[in-house]
Amino acid sequence: MKDITTIKFADLSTADLIVDAIYESGMRGNAGDDPLVKLLSVSNQGGFRYVGNFAANKLKAVVLYSSMDDVDWPDFLDEETGIFYYYGDNKKPGRELHDTPRKGNLLLKKIFDDAHSPSGDRKGVPPIFIFAKAGTRRDVIFKGLAVPGGAVPSHGREGK
């Protein structure tokens, strides 16, 4: 059985990112307990959180957080291929795909547009850190670094 690295809340501001490590939340029972704020200086809510200015196209880093437990929106990390399948954050019927309160789908569209630009210039593509719910309070697990724009191999989930 694999040992699980756990990083205490008090140590988050100086912690390294370790794949599959658990980053503990605080114990006060409020939004200030969110470990991603202390770990990466992002906001404390939403599936997409970022450092920098989205409107000015100056993102330094993006965090994509998923509970990974929504049966209608089954985000999935294929650990064999390393591909993360994300279903977006627009869950209300009748709304345009990119029309979400925190603009997560619009952010994702911009990142993929930059990744696939004709010039091949990926300078506008920030690093994307994937985190998942760990199951206790607001604890999170670091799943890895996403590189948008790669070819998607068949992984057997789409049926024949």
Side-chain angles (χ1 to χ4, degrees):
M1 186 170 162
K2 184 177 171 183
D3 287 335
I4 297 173
T5 300
T6 301
I7 312 297
K8 300 286 184 202
F9 187 71
D11 299 329
L12 293 178
S13 61
T14 59
D16 291 330
L17 290 176
I18 302 166
V19 172
D20 292 332
I22 295 174
Y23 295 84
E24 290 185 341
S25 60
M27 305 287 272
R28 291 179 290 170
N30 62 36
D33 291 341
D34 191 306
L36 294 173
V37 175
K38 285 187 72 171
L39 186 62
L40 294 168
S41 299
V42 295
S43 64
N44 63 9
Q45 292 183 2
F48 283 100
R49 307 167 188 199
Y50 50 86
V51 178
N53 187 325
F54 175 38
N57 197 27
K58 295 190 187 270
L59 292 176
K60 296 177 183 176
V62 172
V63 168
L64 175 53
Y65 169 80
S66 175
S67 67
M68 306 287 275
D69 64 2
D70 188 330
V71 295
D72 294 325
W73 302 85
D75 298 340
F76 172 73
L77 175 63
D78 184 329
E79 294 190 13
E80 190 171 311
T81 65
I83 294 177
F84 183 67
Y85 296 86
Y86 177 70
Y87 286 84
D89 66 347
N90 187 342
K91 297 181 180 184
K92 294 192 176 173
R95 207 163 53 178
E96 195 273 328
L97 175 65
H98 299 103
D99 179 21
T100 60
R102 295 181 53 89
K103 307 295 184 213
N105 283 1
L106 190 61
L107 172 65
L108 196 57
K109 178 187 181 312
K110 163 116 182 53
I111 288 169
F112 272 85
D113 286 349
D114 288 348
H116 293 290
S117 72
S119 67
D121 184 5
R122 295 179 61 91
K123 288 180 187 171
V125 179
I128 303 170
F129 302 96
I130 307 292
F131 284 85
K133 183 177 180 179
T136 303
R137 297 182 314 274
R138 293 177 183 252
D139 296 359
V140 296
I141 300 171
F142 178 54
K143 302 307 282 181
L145 182 66
V147 181
V152 179
S154 173
H155 69 337
R157 285 175 52 100
E158 59 277 324
K160 306 248 180 216

